[in-house]
Amino acid sequence: MTTHTKLNDEAGRLSALHRYDVLDTPEEQPFENVVNLVQQTLQVPMCAVSLVDEHRQWFKARRGLGVCETGRDISFCTHAIQQTDPFIVNNAEEDPLFMNNPLVTEDPHIRSYLGIPLQTPEGYNIGSLCGIDIKPRDFQPHEVEIMKSFARIVVDELELRQIASSDALTGAMTRRAWCEIAEGEIKRAHRYKRKLSLAILDIDHFKHVNDTYGHPVGDRVIQFLANLCIDEKRESDFFGRYGGEEFVFLITETGEEESKNLLERIRKNFQDSPIPIGGGETIHCSISAGIASLREKEFLPPLLERADQRLYQAKETGRNRVVVYSN
């Protein structure tokens, strides 16, 4: 079945982009390999895997470009994502759309551009794979076809990356994926001076559950808690399985008090919910949680450590409670 390109749904396009959780993440070899191939095949000085966010284009991988993002208002790629076909500029100095663009009149002095929309399986153009030259150029049909193939590789890799970021048992983010996202969100919070909180929670007396009822029941308890947390979280929050019965919650745009309210709601719902364990039987379990809010110039390891200190305090003072690290 052919996917129809959705060009007039910007909210849906942005949602599709954000679902990949890829913005502001570190370099990853598959994408680096693609830009290497583009540069070698097209013999261009510049190329990029460009993802177009609401107000900027951000480069997941790039060659020959000295910045990792530019404003969307001046980007060539914002025009590429409005197309169903490859977007080609043969001579930017003679193109009315670009002749006065600062990327043309100033560094990096773009003259020609080939952009292939990065189309998701749902039909949204979330960015482009682009090759850029500093001289006018007629891109040949075979070069365009090669770039289309490379663009499909990029989208396939994003899809695989998303699958690999989910924990098989719970559907929560894996530890690795969550840490990558958390690092990016922390940088964003510092850049825009926004609030951000982090919570660590785990299931009380979980070893007793496994020893008494067996590991399959333990897995059901873990799944039950994960489902509850996923139902409670907002779209802008990030929930991950940190290991075993321990989970992490990155709560964006939110300070200590609101974060505590969220975790208290989860704690109470989990405590009050009978968990089916088979044979018509149910059990009740509880969680403990520690919360820390982001400090100025603080990054992930110390933030995690402070939240973990409060989780330990919750355990030491009776369990089934939420403790906040007060700044």
Side-chain angles (χ1 to χ4, degrees):
M1 183 175 68
T2 302
T3 300
H4 295 289
T5 309
K6 299 174 182 174
L7 299 178
N8 300 310
D9 180 7
E10 178 65 3
R13 192 195 71 79
L14 288 172
S15 180
L17 169 62
H18 295 157
R19 275 197 297 274
Y20 284 112
D21 291 332
V22 68
L23 294 172
D24 299 305
T25 56
E27 290 182 0
E28 294 179 66
Q29 200 57 49
F31 303 102
E32 296 298 310
N33 292 342
V34 169
V35 290
N36 284 339
L37 288 169
V38 170
Q39 195 167 47
Q40 293 166 15
T41 304
L42 266 62
Q43 294 294 298
V44 288
M46 294 172 280
C47 59
V49 173
S50 173
L51 301 172
V52 181
D53 202 1
E54 185 176 6
H55 300 298
R56 60 171 177 154
Q57 65 168 353
W58 179 78
F59 305 130
K60 176 58 181 171
R62 69 189 191 274
R63 292 292 180 271
L65 295 164
V67 295
C68 63
E69 64 180 62
T70 73
R72 181 171 172 177
D73 58 330
I74 62 172
S75 74
F76 282 56
C77 293
T78 201
H79 298 276
I81 66 169
Q82 296 165 11
Q83 316 294 319
T84 56
D85 297 318
F87 184 64
I88 301 174
V89 178
N90 295 319
N91 189 344
E93 282 189 307
E94 296 179 356
D95 190 313
L97 195 59
F98 297 106
M99 59 174 55
N100 296 318
N101 188 301
L103 299 177
V104 176
T105 60
E106 303 168 20
D107 190 64
H109 301 289
I110 294 173
R111 292 296 176 267
S112 52
Y113 170 95
L114 168 60
I116 310 296
L118 298 174
Q119 186 177 121
T120 70
E122 300 80 22
Y124 291 107
N125 291 342
I126 59 169
S128 78
L129 176 66
C130 59
I132 304 167
D133 212 331
I134 56 174
K135 62 185 182 218
R137 175 168 177 173
D138 292 323
F139 290 98
Q140 300 302 305
H142 74 277
E143 294 174 322
V144 174
E145 291 303 314
I146 290 171
M147 284 286 281
K148 286 182 180 179
S149 297
F150 290 158
R152 285 192 290 271
I153 291 172
V154 171
V155 175
D156 288 346
E157 189 59 41
L158 287 171
E159 287 288 307
L160 289 170
R161 185 184 184 280
Q162 189 174 44
I163 293 168
S165 70
S166 297
D167 175 63
L169 177 66
T170 64
M173 300 179 74
T174 62
R175 177 171 177 159
R176 175 180 174 274
W178 184 88
C179 286
E180 286 184 2
I181 293 296
E183 287 170 353
E185 289 297 320
I186 287 170
K187 289 178 184 177
R188 185 180 292 114
H190 285 315
R191 183 188 307 148
Y192 298 111
K193 302 188 184 304
R194 310 300 296 178
K195 293 180 180 179
L196 183 146
S197 297
L198 187 153
I200 303 178
L201 56 149
D202 75 3
I203 300 167
D204 296 328
H205 302 296
F206 186 70
K207 184 178 184 299
H208 176 73
V209 173
N210 275 337
D211 290 347
T212 304
Y213 301 101
H215 289 278
V217 168
D219 286 348
R220 291 185 190 182
V221 173
I222 288 173
Q223 288 173 321
F224 193 93
L225 174 59
N227 289 338
L228 195 156
C229 291
I230 290 169
D231 287 343
E232 288 284 349
K233 85 176 191 67
R234 304 167 303 176
E235 188 173 344
S236 59
D237 298 332
F238 300 93
F239 175 69
R241 187 180 183 189
Y242 207 61
E245 74 279 15
E246 189 171 65
F247 293 91
V248 279
F249 227 130
L250 195 73
I251 310 162
T252 63
E253 305 287 340
T254 305
E256 294 170 356
E257 197 59 38
E258 292 174 276
S259 299
K260 185 175 182 181
N261 290 340
L262 169 65
L263 268 296
E264 281 287 1
R265 190 162 63 247
I266 291 171
R267 182 197 64 77
K268 187 173 189 311
N269 288 345
F270 189 65
Q271 167 197 270
D272 294 344
S273 298
I275 303 171
I277 62 172
E281 292 188 70
T282 61
I283 60 172
H284 282 79
C285 295
S286 65
I287 60 167
S288 299
I291 300 172
S293 292
L294 185 65
R295 292 173 171 173
E296 187 177 355
K297 298 181 180 180
E298 184 177 45
F299 289 95
L300 183 57
L303 182 60
L304 271 168
E305 182 178 353
R306 290 196 297 114
D308 193 53
Q309 288 173 6
R310 291 303 173 258
L311 172 62
Y312 180 79
Q313 183 180 344
K315 296 284 191 183
E316 288 293 296
T317 54
R319 294 184 169 83
N320 193 20
R321 63 192 63 205
V322 178
V323 178
V324 176
Y325 196 117
S326 298
N327 291 322

